[in-house]
Amino acid sequence: MLYLPSLLEILKDPEYIPLSIDRLAEKMSIPDADFTAFKREVNQHLRQGTLVKLKKNRVCLPRDADLITGKVRFRQSGSATLYPDAVEGAEIREPFHINAEDTGVAMHGDLVVARIHHDRRRYRGRPNRGGNPNALENVRIIRILERANTKLTGTLKRSRMFHYIIPDDPRIIQDILVPDPRYSKLSPKPKVDDKVVVQLDPWEQRHLNPEGVIIEVLGKTHTPMAEYEALLRQFDLTPEFPDSVLKEVEQFSSKVKQGDLKNREDIRDLFTLTIDPQDAKDFDDALTLQVKNNGNLTVGVHIADVSHYVRPGTALDREARKRGNSTYLVGTVIPMLPKALSNGLCSLVEAEDRLTKSVFVEYAPTGKVLNARFANTVIRSNKRLTYEQAYAFLFEDDIEEIQSRPDPPAHQTGSTGRSLKELSRKELKLIKRTVRRLWDLASRIRKHRVMKGSLELDMPETKIYVDKEGYAETIIKVEQDESHQLIEEFMLAANEAVAQSLNERKLPGIHRVHDKPDPDKLDEFADYLDTFGIQSGDLSNRNNLNKVLREVKKHPQAHTLRVSFLRSLKQACYRASADGHFGLAKKHYTHFTSPIRRYSDLVVHRIFARNLVPGGARFSKKRYTPSELATVAQHLSLTEQNSTEAERESVKIKLLEFFERELQKPKRSKFDAVIMDVRNHGMFVELTESMAYGLVHISTLRDDLYKVDSSHTAIVGRKRRNRFAIGDKIKVCVSRVDRFKRQIDFMVANGN
């Protein structure tokens, strides 16, 4: 039974006076036989923070007691922000500031109850910050509803009196006290500077440090394997698969069987290419191009048919759904599917028959979509290209120069394919002609898409390559160049074609949704742009917004500004309803093109097989209900967020590792950097290639005494008048790396 709607009606009544659970049951005429269920439901909402309990067990809404519930996120300084829970029927509240001394016994990520302080002028002798009405209020945490973590990873240290753990997450600001490891029952016993997992004890007194017990030793801290194992524990990632899953996989052959080709369109004679990163572990998608006599072009987007092997209700399917997606850590991947499928039987590797689901989109030469058809197919990839190789085919005319492009390192990728040096000139010319025709079409499609309001959000990425021991070896900035855009346009087209067909047939599905941004957030971003001298105008106008984004792209602080813009947008997610995609300016959009690494695409493939191809029932018997899809979509949005956080953390760790190893070199490397901000204690810089961010402390500028100028945009030497201004390009080298605080300090390189 669900009593909450009726209960909320009573609690929202302006005349309501807080009552006990017993009295509420009387007021609601709950039968004695149902009282236990009613009490259980009320207690559940008390734990979740939907309701709060006052003295004498009286119940009310949090707002009526000047209380608010939500998740707390800490800063390294010790202060925090409370993000209020959404309450049905109420407006979404802005985050609240929490002073360091008012965080109680909360830790980063905890679900808490906080009391609101309404003194809008001063709080404990300090002025409150300005802004919106909620931001003027401070809150104080008074109760922990749910701990985000009962286990933590960190480094074992020792003081004169005790042993303690420094948590890996710098936002957990307390050290964790642990018993003397000499008495540990673990084997081998934990040692100082080991990376460990600690089980937390209840923490109830703020003036005392939290305590815990070491339950696992992961290795010497800051070594690649120990950091990797810590990431797995922190984000609940599991590289290994259950025995029940592996037993099912053993039933598959390593090759596509002849019987699997039945009722499939055979397109193995079409020239087929894959284009992926050089360190790609699996290959989801391939392209073909056919030019018709009338000049129209048909692009075939061929996607690995994972649904042929991963059937609903199997152990393999249950595990894939649980994982939700693959997680790409630096140098490795935690796959959604076992490698025998993800890197083998399903992966569209070169020169092997593979089962696929295909979307054939016919275009006019102008790039206008004329029609789309769908099929279950079998393909054979003729060549696996890296983005770097595809770029060479696009813009390099000299065949020998193209052949000189390096092959992907075998230890970094799931399949290298044939070396370009092994290919005949005839093959090389065919690849060049095909890639250039595809890009000519893709560039037209891209222009049409942007003209219709699709946002130009291409962001460079930091790509870190590791050596055979797992240490960060090289860091490069990967721009979303034409080779990436070529693939992106045809994947977007396939996703949209499938989504539109589902909508036309009124079929349930999982949709990729991106809601419109909050106008207030866009206004804040516009104000932020003004401080950089960028006139933004009305950002709710798509054409104007794209114009501003193009201007931002040319700015010295382009990366910072674009990150700030992305933060003003809402997060894309999965839903069972087709609510549109703001960023792409598409009414109907789904994820269809990556079933090896995303469960959402696998679900869409099953719906595709049953409803969009001739004789579909023989390919998929699974019928999804809207409620089932809504549950799956919500779960997949959460697993995606978890993987995104793990991937970002992996990059941070490897950046620190790379620059720490720079300190060990007899001659330190010089890096190009841009000055992003200046403060009294120094200037913050961003490295051009790796996009690493750090501080050049003013004490390292030893040729003069420096101070911030009156405009607060530069630091200037008092005697020599040397000037370092925001936007200036300088060369720096590494000065200090703090692995625990996740901070990198730089110094201006000699001869800058």
Side-chain angles (χ1 to χ4, degrees), residues 202-253:
W203 183 37
E204 298 173 348
Q205 299 184 59
R206 178 180 170 80
H207 65 283
L208 299 176
N209 276 63
E211 297 182 9
V213 177
I214 297 173
I215 59 173
E216 193 174 0
V217 179
L218 304 178
K220 187 171 178 59
T221 196
H222 301 157
T223 57
M225 186 51 69
E227 295 292 345
Y228 168 70
E229 292 290 344
L231 275 176
L232 297 183
R233 307 305 189 280
Q234 184 178 350
F235 294 98
D236 195 23
L237 301 172
T238 310
E240 299 81 18
F241 286 84
D243 289 341
S244 57
V245 172
L246 297 178
K247 285 180 181 177
E248 287 185 358
V249 173
E250 287 173 3
Q251 306 305 311
F252 300 127
S253 66

Short mmCIF file of all heavy atoms in Angstrom, two decimals, residues 202-253:
data_model
loop_
_atom_site.label_atom_id
_atom_site.label_comp_id
_atom_site.label_asym_id
_atom_site.label_seq_id
_atom_site.Cartn_x
_atom_site.Cartn_y
_atom_site.Cartn_z
N PRO A 202 31.23 3.40 12.81
CA PRO A 202 30.33 4.55 12.95
C PRO A 202 31.08 5.76 13.50
O PRO A 202 31.87 5.63 14.44
CB PRO A 202 29.26 4.05 13.93
CG PRO A 202 29.28 2.56 13.79
CD PRO A 202 30.71 2.20 13.51
N TRP A 203 30.86 6.92 12.88
CA TRP A 203 31.52 8.15 13.34
C TRP A 203 30.45 9.09 13.86
O TRP A 203 29.62 9.56 13.11
CB TRP A 203 32.29 8.79 12.18
CG TRP A 203 33.05 10.02 12.56
CD1 TRP A 203 33.71 10.25 13.73
CD2 TRP A 203 33.23 11.20 11.77
NE1 TRP A 203 34.30 11.49 13.72
CE2 TRP A 203 34.03 12.09 12.52
CE3 TRP A 203 32.82 11.59 10.49
CZ2 TRP A 203 34.41 13.35 12.05
CZ3 TRP A 203 33.19 12.83 10.01
CH2 TRP A 203 33.97 13.70 10.78
N GLU A 204 30.52 9.38 15.16
CA GLU A 204 29.45 10.14 15.79
C GLU A 204 29.93 11.36 16.56
O GLU A 204 29.11 12.15 17.03
CB GLU A 204 28.65 9.22 16.73
CG GLU A 204 27.99 8.06 15.97
CD GLU A 204 27.34 7.05 16.91
OE1 GLU A 204 27.62 7.14 18.12
OE2 GLU A 204 26.58 6.20 16.42
N GLN A 205 31.24 11.52 16.71
CA GLN A 205 31.76 12.67 17.47
C GLN A 205 32.74 13.45 16.60
O GLN A 205 33.82 12.95 16.27
CB GLN A 205 32.46 12.20 18.75
CG GLN A 205 31.51 11.45 19.70
CD GLN A 205 32.19 11.09 21.00
OE1 GLN A 205 32.67 11.97 21.73
NE2 GLN A 205 32.24 9.80 21.30
N ARG A 206 32.37 14.67 16.27
CA ARG A 206 33.13 15.47 15.33
C ARG A 206 34.54 15.76 15.82
O ARG A 206 35.48 15.85 15.02
CB ARG A 206 32.39 16.78 15.05
CG ARG A 206 33.14 17.69 14.11
CD ARG A 206 32.39 18.98 13.84
NE ARG A 206 33.21 19.94 13.13
CZ ARG A 206 33.44 19.92 11.83
NH1 ARG A 206 32.89 18.99 11.08
NH2 ARG A 206 34.22 20.82 11.27
N HIS A 207 34.72 15.94 17.14
CA HIS A 207 36.04 16.32 17.66
C HIS A 207 37.03 15.16 17.65
O HIS A 207 38.21 15.35 17.95
CB HIS A 207 35.92 16.90 19.07
CG HIS A 207 35.45 15.91 20.09
ND1 HIS A 207 34.13 15.53 20.20
CD2 HIS A 207 36.13 15.20 21.03
CE1 HIS A 207 34.01 14.64 21.18
NE2 HIS A 207 35.20 14.43 21.70
N LEU A 208 36.55 13.97 17.32
CA LEU A 208 37.43 12.81 17.21
C LEU A 208 37.51 12.39 15.74
O LEU A 208 36.53 12.48 15.01
CB LEU A 208 36.90 11.65 18.05
CG LEU A 208 36.79 11.88 19.55
CD1 LEU A 208 36.17 10.66 20.22
CD2 LEU A 208 38.16 12.18 20.16
N ASN A 209 38.67 11.90 15.32
CA ASN A 209 38.80 11.41 13.95
C ASN A 209 37.99 10.14 13.73
O ASN A 209 37.82 9.35 14.67
CB ASN A 209 40.27 11.12 13.63
CG ASN A 209 41.03 12.35 13.19
OD1 ASN A 209 41.16 13.28 13.98
ND2 ASN A 209 41.51 12.36 11.97
N PRO A 210 37.49 9.94 12.53
CA PRO A 210 36.83 8.65 12.24
C PRO A 210 37.83 7.51 12.42
O PRO A 210 39.04 7.69 12.29
CB PRO A 210 36.42 8.78 10.77
CG PRO A 210 36.54 10.22 10.44
CD PRO A 210 37.54 10.81 11.36
N GLU A 211 37.28 6.33 12.72
CA GLU A 211 38.13 5.16 12.88
C GLU A 211 37.65 4.05 11.95
O GLU A 211 36.52 4.07 11.45
CB GLU A 211 38.09 4.67 14.34
CG GLU A 211 38.66 5.68 15.32
CD GLU A 211 38.66 5.16 16.75
OE1 GLU A 211 38.39 3.95 16.96
OE2 GLU A 211 38.93 5.95 17.68
N GLY A 212 38.53 3.09 11.71
CA GLY A 212 38.18 1.98 10.85
C GLY A 212 39.17 0.85 10.98
O GLY A 212 40.10 0.91 11.79
N VAL A 213 38.95 -0.18 10.17
CA VAL A 213 39.80 -1.36 10.20
C VAL A 213 40.25 -1.67 8.78
O VAL A 213 39.43 -1.67 7.85
CB VAL A 213 39.05 -2.58 10.79
CG1 VAL A 213 39.93 -3.82 10.75
CG2 VAL A 213 38.59 -2.29 12.21
N ILE A 214 41.54 -1.93 8.60
CA ILE A 214 42.05 -2.30 7.28
C ILE A 214 41.58 -3.70 6.94
O ILE A 214 41.79 -4.64 7.71
CB ILE A 214 43.59 -2.23 7.25
CG1 ILE A 214 44.07 -0.79 7.49
CG2 ILE A 214 44.13 -2.74 5.91
CD1 ILE A 214 45.57 -0.65 7.65
N ILE A 215 40.93 -3.84 5.78
CA ILE A 215 40.38 -5.15 5.40
C ILE A 215 41.05 -5.72 4.15
O ILE A 215 40.82 -6.88 3.80
CB ILE A 215 38.85 -5.08 5.18
CG1 ILE A 215 38.52 -4.06 4.08
CG2 ILE A 215 38.13 -4.74 6.47
CD1 ILE A 215 37.04 -4.07 3.69
N GLU A 216 41.87 -4.90 3.47
CA GLU A 216 42.52 -5.40 2.26
C GLU A 216 43.75 -4.55 1.95
O GLU A 216 43.74 -3.33 2.16
CB GLU A 216 41.54 -5.34 1.08
CG GLU A 216 41.99 -6.11 -0.14
CD GLU A 216 40.93 -6.14 -1.22
OE1 GLU A 216 39.83 -5.56 -1.04
OE2 GLU A 216 41.21 -6.73 -2.29
N VAL A 217 44.79 -5.20 1.48
CA VAL A 217 46.01 -4.51 1.05
C VAL A 217 46.10 -4.62 -0.47
O VAL A 217 46.04 -5.72 -1.02
CB VAL A 217 47.26 -5.11 1.72
CG1 VAL A 217 48.52 -4.39 1.23
CG2 VAL A 217 47.17 -5.04 3.23
N LEU A 218 46.27 -3.47 -1.15
CA LEU A 218 46.24 -3.44 -2.61
C LEU A 218 47.63 -3.32 -3.23
O LEU A 218 47.78 -3.44 -4.44
CB LEU A 218 45.37 -2.28 -3.10
CG LEU A 218 43.92 -2.27 -2.57
CD1 LEU A 218 43.18 -1.04 -3.08
CD2 LEU A 218 43.19 -3.54 -2.96
N GLY A 219 48.64 -3.07 -2.41
CA GLY A 219 50.00 -2.90 -2.93
C GLY A 219 50.58 -1.57 -2.50
O GLY A 219 49.94 -0.79 -1.80
N LYS A 220 51.79 -1.29 -2.94
CA LYS A 220 52.45 -0.03 -2.58
C LYS A 220 51.73 1.12 -3.27
O LYS A 220 51.45 1.08 -4.46
CB LYS A 220 53.92 -0.06 -2.99
CG LYS A 220 54.70 1.15 -2.48
CD LYS A 220 56.19 0.97 -2.72
CE LYS A 220 56.96 2.20 -2.26
NZ LYS A 220 56.77 2.51 -0.83
N THR A 221 51.43 2.14 -2.49
CA THR A 221 50.64 3.25 -3.01
C THR A 221 51.34 3.93 -4.19
O THR A 221 52.57 3.96 -4.28
CB THR A 221 50.35 4.28 -1.90
OG1 THR A 221 49.30 5.14 -2.34
CG2 THR A 221 51.57 5.13 -1.57
N HIS A 222 50.52 4.45 -5.10
CA HIS A 222 50.95 5.21 -6.27
C HIS A 222 51.67 4.37 -7.32
O HIS A 222 52.22 4.91 -8.27
CB HIS A 222 51.84 6.41 -5.87
CG HIS A 222 51.14 7.36 -4.95
ND1 HIS A 222 51.80 8.23 -4.11
CD2 HIS A 222 49.81 7.57 -4.72
CE1 HIS A 222 50.93 8.93 -3.41
NE2 HIS A 222 49.72 8.54 -3.77
N THR A 223 51.64 3.06 -7.18
CA THR A 223 52.08 2.20 -8.27
C THR A 223 50.85 1.92 -9.16
O THR A 223 49.72 1.94 -8.67
CB THR A 223 52.67 0.87 -7.77
OG1 THR A 223 51.69 0.20 -6.95
CG2 THR A 223 53.93 1.13 -6.95
N PRO A 224 51.06 1.66 -10.45
CA PRO A 224 49.91 1.51 -11.34
C PRO A 224 48.89 0.47 -10.89
O PRO A 224 47.69 0.72 -10.92
CB PRO A 224 50.56 1.13 -12.68
CG PRO A 224 51.90 1.76 -12.64
CD PRO A 224 52.33 1.65 -11.20
N MET A 225 49.35 -0.71 -10.46
CA MET A 225 48.41 -1.75 -10.10
C MET A 225 47.64 -1.40 -8.84
O MET A 225 46.42 -1.64 -8.75
CB MET A 225 49.15 -3.08 -9.91
CG MET A 225 48.21 -4.27 -9.66
SD MET A 225 46.86 -4.42 -10.89
CE MET A 225 47.80 -4.88 -12.34
N ALA A 226 48.31 -0.79 -7.85
CA ALA A 226 47.61 -0.41 -6.61
C ALA A 226 46.55 0.66 -6.89
O ALA A 226 45.43 0.60 -6.36
CB ALA A 226 48.61 0.08 -5.58
N GLU A 227 46.89 1.63 -7.72
CA GLU A 227 45.92 2.68 -8.05
C GLU A 227 44.74 2.10 -8.83
O GLU A 227 43.58 2.49 -8.62
CB GLU A 227 46.60 3.78 -8.88
CG GLU A 227 47.69 4.54 -8.14
CD GLU A 227 47.14 5.40 -7.01
OE1 GLU A 227 45.92 5.64 -6.96
OE2 GLU A 227 47.94 5.82 -6.16
N TYR A 228 45.03 1.18 -9.71
CA TYR A 228 43.98 0.52 -10.49
C TYR A 228 43.04 -0.26 -9.58
O TYR A 228 41.80 -0.12 -9.67
CB TYR A 228 44.64 -0.42 -11.51
CG TYR A 228 43.70 -1.38 -12.20
CD1 TYR A 228 42.78 -0.93 -13.13
CD2 TYR A 228 43.77 -2.75 -11.94
CE1 TYR A 228 41.92 -1.82 -13.78
CE2 TYR A 228 42.93 -3.64 -12.58
CZ TYR A 228 42.01 -3.17 -13.50
OH TYR A 228 41.17 -4.05 -14.13
N GLU A 229 43.60 -1.04 -8.67
CA GLU A 229 42.77 -1.81 -7.74
C GLU A 229 41.94 -0.89 -6.86
O GLU A 229 40.78 -1.20 -6.54
CB GLU A 229 43.66 -2.72 -6.88
CG GLU A 229 44.35 -3.84 -7.64
CD GLU A 229 43.38 -4.92 -8.10
OE1 GLU A 229 42.25 -4.97 -7.59
OE2 GLU A 229 43.75 -5.72 -8.98
N ALA A 230 42.51 0.24 -6.46
CA ALA A 230 41.77 1.19 -5.63
C ALA A 230 40.58 1.78 -6.39
O ALA A 230 39.49 1.95 -5.83
CB ALA A 230 42.70 2.30 -5.15
N LEU A 231 40.78 2.08 -7.66
CA LEU A 231 39.67 2.59 -8.48
C LEU A 231 38.54 1.57 -8.57
O LEU A 231 37.36 1.92 -8.51
CB LEU A 231 40.17 2.94 -9.88
CG LEU A 231 40.78 4.31 -10.11
CD1 LEU A 231 41.30 4.43 -11.53
CD2 LEU A 231 39.77 5.42 -9.85
N LEU A 232 38.91 0.31 -8.74
CA LEU A 232 37.89 -0.74 -8.82
C LEU A 232 37.06 -0.78 -7.55
O LEU A 232 35.82 -0.90 -7.60
CB LEU A 232 38.55 -2.11 -9.03
CG LEU A 232 39.35 -2.31 -10.32
CD1 LEU A 232 39.86 -3.75 -10.40
CD2 LEU A 232 38.50 -2.00 -11.55
N ARG A 233 37.72 -0.67 -6.39
CA ARG A 233 36.99 -0.70 -5.11
C ARG A 233 36.14 0.55 -4.94
O ARG A 233 34.99 0.49 -4.50
CB ARG A 233 37.96 -0.81 -3.92
CG ARG A 233 38.96 -1.94 -3.95
CD ARG A 233 38.34 -3.31 -4.13
NE ARG A 233 39.32 -4.38 -3.94
CZ ARG A 233 40.20 -4.78 -4.85
NH1 ARG A 233 40.26 -4.19 -6.03
NH2 ARG A 233 41.02 -5.79 -4.60
N GLN A 234 36.71 1.71 -5.30
CA GLN A 234 36.03 2.98 -5.08
C GLN A 234 34.74 3.08 -5.89
O GLN A 234 33.73 3.61 -5.41
CB GLN A 234 36.96 4.14 -5.44
CG GLN A 234 36.40 5.52 -5.16
CD GLN A 234 37.39 6.62 -5.51
OE1 GLN A 234 38.56 6.36 -5.78
NE2 GLN A 234 36.93 7.86 -5.49
N PHE A 235 34.75 2.55 -7.11
CA PHE A 235 33.58 2.70 -7.99
C PHE A 235 32.85 1.38 -8.23
O PHE A 235 32.01 1.29 -9.12
CB PHE A 235 34.02 3.32 -9.31
CG PHE A 235 34.50 4.73 -9.16
CD1 PHE A 235 35.85 5.02 -9.07
CD2 PHE A 235 33.60 5.78 -9.06
CE1 PHE A 235 36.31 6.32 -8.92
CE2 PHE A 235 34.04 7.08 -8.91
CZ PHE A 235 35.39 7.36 -8.83
N ASP A 236 33.18 0.38 -7.42
CA ASP A 236 32.48 -0.91 -7.47
C ASP A 236 32.50 -1.49 -8.88
O ASP A 236 31.47 -1.87 -9.45
CB ASP A 236 31.04 -0.75 -6.98
CG ASP A 236 30.39 -2.09 -6.66
OD1 ASP A 236 31.13 -3.05 -6.39
OD2 ASP A 236 29.14 -2.17 -6.68
N LEU A 237 33.71 -1.55 -9.46
CA LEU A 237 33.90 -2.10 -10.80
C LEU A 237 34.54 -3.48 -10.69
O LEU A 237 35.40 -3.69 -9.84
CB LEU A 237 34.80 -1.18 -11.63
CG LEU A 237 34.30 0.25 -11.81
CD1 LEU A 237 35.36 1.10 -12.48
CD2 LEU A 237 33.00 0.29 -12.63
N THR A 238 34.11 -4.39 -11.54
CA THR A 238 34.60 -5.77 -11.48
C THR A 238 35.08 -6.23 -12.84
O THR A 238 34.27 -6.42 -13.77
CB THR A 238 33.48 -6.71 -10.99
OG1 THR A 238 32.88 -6.18 -9.81
CG2 THR A 238 34.04 -8.09 -10.70
N PRO A 239 36.40 -6.41 -13.01
CA PRO A 239 36.89 -6.90 -14.31
C PRO A 239 36.48 -8.34 -14.59
O PRO A 239 36.24 -8.70 -15.74
CB PRO A 239 38.42 -6.79 -14.17
CG PRO A 239 38.67 -5.95 -12.96
CD PRO A 239 37.49 -6.12 -12.08
N GLU A 240 36.41 -9.16 -13.53
CA GLU A 240 36.10 -10.57 -13.72
C GLU A 240 34.59 -10.77 -13.86
O GLU A 240 33.79 -10.01 -13.33
CB GLU A 240 36.61 -11.41 -12.54
CG GLU A 240 38.11 -11.35 -12.34
CD GLU A 240 38.56 -10.10 -11.60
OE1 GLU A 240 37.70 -9.46 -10.96
OE2 GLU A 240 39.75 -9.74 -11.67
N PHE A 241 34.23 -11.85 -14.55
CA PHE A 241 32.82 -12.20 -14.73
C PHE A 241 32.49 -13.45 -13.93
O PHE A 241 33.36 -14.33 -13.74
CB PHE A 241 32.52 -12.43 -16.21
CG PHE A 241 32.47 -11.16 -17.01
CD1 PHE A 241 33.64 -10.60 -17.52
CD2 PHE A 241 31.27 -10.53 -17.26
CE1 PHE A 241 33.60 -9.43 -18.25
CE2 PHE A 241 31.22 -9.35 -18.00
CZ PHE A 241 32.40 -8.80 -18.49
N PRO A 242 31.25 -13.57 -13.45
CA PRO A 242 30.84 -14.77 -12.72
C PRO A 242 31.01 -16.03 -13.56
O PRO A 242 30.94 -15.99 -14.80
CB PRO A 242 29.36 -14.52 -12.40
CG PRO A 242 29.19 -13.04 -12.51
CD PRO A 242 30.16 -12.57 -13.54
N ASP A 243 31.20 -17.16 -12.89
CA ASP A 243 31.38 -18.44 -13.59
C ASP A 243 30.19 -18.76 -14.49
O ASP A 243 30.35 -19.32 -15.58
CB ASP A 243 31.59 -19.57 -12.58
CG ASP A 243 32.95 -19.49 -11.89
OD1 ASP A 243 33.84 -18.80 -12.44
OD2 ASP A 243 33.11 -20.09 -10.81
N SER A 244 28.97 -18.41 -14.02
CA SER A 244 27.78 -18.72 -14.81
C SER A 244 27.81 -18.00 -16.16
O SER A 244 27.36 -18.53 -17.17
CB SER A 244 26.52 -18.31 -14.03
OG SER A 244 26.56 -16.93 -13.70
N VAL A 245 28.37 -16.78 -16.17
CA VAL A 245 28.49 -16.02 -17.42
C VAL A 245 29.55 -16.65 -18.33
O VAL A 245 29.32 -16.85 -19.52
CB VAL A 245 28.86 -14.55 -17.12
CG1 VAL A 245 29.17 -13.80 -18.41
CG2 VAL A 245 27.72 -13.87 -16.37
N LEU A 246 30.68 -17.00 -17.74
CA LEU A 246 31.77 -17.57 -18.54
C LEU A 246 31.37 -18.91 -19.14
O LEU A 246 31.77 -19.25 -20.26
CB LEU A 246 33.02 -17.72 -17.66
CG LEU A 246 33.60 -16.41 -17.12
CD1 LEU A 246 34.81 -16.68 -16.24
CD2 LEU A 246 33.99 -15.47 -18.26
N LYS A 247 30.57 -19.68 -18.41
CA LYS A 247 30.11 -20.97 -18.94
C LYS A 247 29.23 -20.76 -20.17
O LYS A 247 29.30 -21.53 -21.13
CB LYS A 247 29.34 -21.74 -17.86
CG LYS A 247 30.25 -22.34 -16.79
CD LYS A 247 29.45 -23.08 -15.74
CE LYS A 247 30.36 -23.66 -14.65
NZ LYS A 247 29.59 -24.32 -13.58
N GLU A 248 28.38 -19.73 -20.13
CA GLU A 248 27.54 -19.45 -21.30
C GLU A 248 28.40 -19.02 -22.49
O GLU A 248 28.15 -19.43 -23.63
CB GLU A 248 26.53 -18.34 -20.97
CG GLU A 248 25.42 -18.79 -20.06
CD GLU A 248 24.37 -17.72 -19.83
OE1 GLU A 248 24.53 -16.59 -20.35
OE2 GLU A 248 23.39 -18.01 -19.12
N VAL A 249 29.43 -18.21 -22.22
CA VAL A 249 30.30 -17.74 -23.30
C VAL A 249 31.07 -18.89 -23.94
O VAL A 249 31.33 -18.89 -25.15
CB VAL A 249 31.26 -16.66 -22.77
CG1 VAL A 249 32.28 -16.26 -23.84
CG2 VAL A 249 30.48 -15.43 -22.31
N GLU A 250 31.41 -19.88 -23.13
CA GLU A 250 32.14 -21.04 -23.66
C GLU A 250 31.36 -21.79 -24.72
O GLU A 250 31.95 -22.52 -25.54
CB GLU A 250 32.49 -22.00 -22.51
CG GLU A 250 33.61 -21.48 -21.60
CD GLU A 250 33.81 -22.39 -20.39
OE1 GLU A 250 33.11 -23.44 -20.31
OE2 GLU A 250 34.64 -22.05 -19.53
N GLN A 251 30.05 -21.62 -24.74
CA GLN A 251 29.22 -22.32 -25.72
C GLN A 251 29.33 -21.71 -27.11
O GLN A 251 28.96 -22.33 -28.10
CB GLN A 251 27.74 -22.29 -25.27
CG GLN A 251 27.49 -22.81 -23.86
CD GLN A 251 28.04 -24.21 -23.67
OE1 GLN A 251 27.79 -25.10 -24.48
NE2 GLN A 251 28.79 -24.41 -22.58
N PHE A 252 29.85 -20.47 -27.19
CA PHE A 252 29.98 -19.82 -28.49
C PHE A 252 31.28 -20.26 -29.16
O PHE A 252 32.30 -20.47 -28.51
CB PHE A 252 30.00 -18.29 -28.34
CG PHE A 252 28.76 -17.73 -27.71
CD1 PHE A 252 28.84 -16.88 -26.60
CD2 PHE A 252 27.51 -18.03 -28.21
CE1 PHE A 252 27.71 -16.36 -26.01
CE2 PHE A 252 26.36 -17.51 -27.63
CZ PHE A 252 26.46 -16.67 -26.53
N SER A 253 31.24 -20.35 -30.47
CA SER A 253 32.47 -20.62 -31.22
C SER A 253 33.24 -19.31 -31.39
O SER A 253 32.71 -18.22 -31.15
CB SER A 253 32.14 -21.21 -32.59
OG SER A 253 31.48 -20.25 -33.38
#
